[in-house]
Amino acid sequence: MAFIRRRRLERELYSKERFSLLLLNLEEYYFEQHTANHIINKGCRDERKIRGSLKICSKSIIFEPDENIQPIIKIPLRDCISIKAPEDNEANNPFTRETSGGISVVCNQAFLIKERNIIAPYKTVRGTTEHLFQLDVAGKVGDVVQTLHQLYRASCLDKMGDQAAMITAILQSRLARTSFDKNRFQSISETLNMECKAEMVTPLVTNPGHVCVTDANLYFQPLNGYPKPVVQITLQNVRRIYKRRHGLMPLGLEVFCTENDLCSDIYLKFYSCQDRDELYFLIATYLENHITEHTAESYMLQWQRGHLSNYEYLLHLNNLADRSCNDLSQYPVFPWIIADYSSSVLDLTKPETFRDLSKPIGALNKERLDRLLTRYQEMPEPKFMYGSHYSSPGYVLFYLVRVAPEYMLCLQNGKFDHADRTFNSLAETWKNCLDGATDFKELIPEFYENDSSFLVNSLKLDLGKRQGGKTVEDVELPPWASGPDDFLQKSREALESQYVSEHLHEWIDIVFGYKQKGTEAVAAHNVFHPLTYEGGVDLNSIMDPNEKVALLTQILEFGQTPKQLFTIPHPQRILSKSSSRTSIHSVSITESPVSANEESFEDLTEESITLAWNNIAKLKLDEQYKIHKEAITGIAVTGNGSSVFTTSQDSTLKMFSKDSKTLQRSVSFSNMALSSCLILPGDTTVISSSWDNHIYFYSIAFGRRQDILMGHDDAVSKICWRDRRLYSASWDSTVKVWHCVPGETLSNKKHHFELLAELEHDVSVNTIDLNAANTILASGTKEGTISIWDVTTATMLHQLPYHSGTVFDAAFSPDSRHLLSAGEDCCFKVIDVQTGTLISSVTADEPQRCFKWDGNTILSGSQSGELLIWDLLGGKVTERIRGHTGGVTSMWMNEQCNSVITGGEDKQIMFWKLQY
């Protein structure tokens, strides 16, 4: 749990310190500290000196006593009446020569914080009061007083923009007078690559300093030395880096030393986009050979196929959409899942248990939505439906106040929210999100993790009393939860349930996808204030500093919409019969029920296929034979595996006996090359396609050409046979669908062909494949276009120019949800069949001419003759197997996926077996 874990770590590291940057106001900087005494009742009998540290901040003076029993004193500079170092000759000098180094601060308001080290709302002390501080180093008094006078003048300016500009000038002056201390390098041999000014970002606060990157480490040295002199990250440990929006500007950079953690190791905000991009480039160049950069589409593929849980996928999407646990205005957003907070038992098999994930929170209650739409229609431009956002700093801390009370006090100027507005009950909070006029908040990741401390008032905070006198303590849980841990466990089960897996893509469409903006957002009742969207305002175009500061403050406090990741509908997750966490070969839940015996046989088959693909790297060459005079173009094998038919550019169809290891037949239909072949069910007929525009039917039993189909006006490049239908692709720019009634074998009757459909393309078609249900056909052309067709209606669903150059091969995944294609451009492309989305693109060193795949792993034949095994999700080759001496042009794999035959430009066929 990112936020809670970070808070726990901070408490462990700095448990002796009560001061933190959270004691500062928002957008305030901590400049320097000085050891000092706070002198109480100077000159009186009960005069006391309280030892501590004086902190100089851009909008306040803070004194932290060493003794925990004493409160921290915070004096806002705007509330100061005078700040001076009394002259020794003044009659009313409270300091004597023995107590030089004194500073007198007279104010009309101060705050007392953490008295007896108890986290509680700040106590306000009003009325004119003089605070006397004596610095240990008397010689620094003049500089400190001069700095305080500068900052005091800034705090007294009427307009926030003018205040910010003056404080920024003071800060930049301080940064310009300092530089990174090279003595902090881990090694004297390190080479400096870049140094610049930046700020380290943590929730609600930023800390200015110097960034330095060498050939081995990334360093940040805070200007004030807090919380430690240097933050150091070894580049070798870095796993991910992301450019971030911060304050609506492209100035952020977040660095992770973990693969899946939401909590980063450092978040930096730069003063120029150029500095940010240069540092990103330096780190990315170092990491180029160490990590693989993931896209939303690659994570989508992993999630669809069950390699990522719903929780993990949402974390990755949040990360890619600029959501960070270091930025409360862009904190990761998770959906409300459960809608039942009253039952004694949570039934995850009932749809009514769940929230409708196809709608934003504001649209779940029709009566409220009608009122909001009426207001929306009457509103002048720019229109918006919701007056508040679903994620904001206030909402995040609403949920986390029990574990992050100091953050809430920082956000709300030293106060907790009213007891009745505190996070008291799950049922109440859900009801308010459904019925409240201005409450549309979603949840945060902590609701689906394993640390329930945010639901328990373990710090014994005084969060007030509700109407009726009830003290705010732990969060009230629904009846179906036996305790906080049980609540989180059931919430996680709900998030990973079948219902959510079936519908989560709908919520993604709303928050991260195509329904986030534009007309689709209006239709989905998902329109928020324009300023919350990326690009909604150009801060650089606003010249008035006061207007800019006011606008930025408004946006950051209101909340921001995530970066849009998808612009077309997000595909649904692929589900198995038994679980939402699927294997690649799981049978669809929509399939017909089977008997117990059939199911066990089916499961056994699935297990053997999975086992084969898990061991595909153990593929070994068994035999090889040179049986053709030119490159081999097609391979087909009889059901019992005894006879292998091959076609070649030498124009022949050959039959090779696997048992006797001899060539038994060689047939030539014309003097033109044959391009592919297949065997009809029953093993009685072989069909071959030819460059002479014809398709030939060859009777195995009678050893003769049985029929000929003159179906195209140019070379036939590929044929498929499914359910008494022949599908033929041609360089004449068509794919034709034929209904074929076979002739009677012992008579002279010919096959009868009926043309059912003609799928027209713009250019020559080089390859085709059909999905398992025989309803969707994919075609690849010589110019690199992938087309996806509904063959039941002969209509094109998608035309996708994803390759440059010829598409050599294309094949559906076993579940038919994805299509993989390989092209002359050396690229593999993974396409979501339903939406046409390009999910993944993997580039090889050379063209891959043919392949087989199981949805995750690819076995491909390369231009150089090697067989390559690819981890598709990782985008890399895991094994290279030496094979042909020329390009691998054809590949066959048996149903159990443990036997492979390849054909190549070297005129050979090679038999491969898995050796476990």
Side-chain angles (χ1 to χ4, degrees), residues 79-117:
D79 293 325
C80 288
I81 299 170
S82 70
I83 302 170
K84 60 184 179 181
E87 298 296 330
D88 289 344
N89 58 1
E90 286 184 359
N92 62 346
N93 179 11
F95 295 96
T96 67
R97 291 186 180 274
E98 290 76 21
T99 57
S100 60
I103 299 174
S104 168
V105 179
V106 181
C107 63
N108 55 30
Q109 181 172 260
F111 299 101
L112 304 182
I113 305 169
K114 288 189 177 179
E115 188 172 5
R116 299 183 182 276
N117 207 26

Side-chain angles (χ1 to χ4, degrees), residues 431-450:
K431 184 178 185 302
N432 203 51
C433 288
L434 287 181
D435 302 336
T438 60
D439 194 347
F440 313 106
K441 59 178 170 285
E442 291 278 9
L443 295 182
I444 55 177
E446 281 77 358
F447 280 84
Y448 303 103
E449 297 182 345
N450 53 19

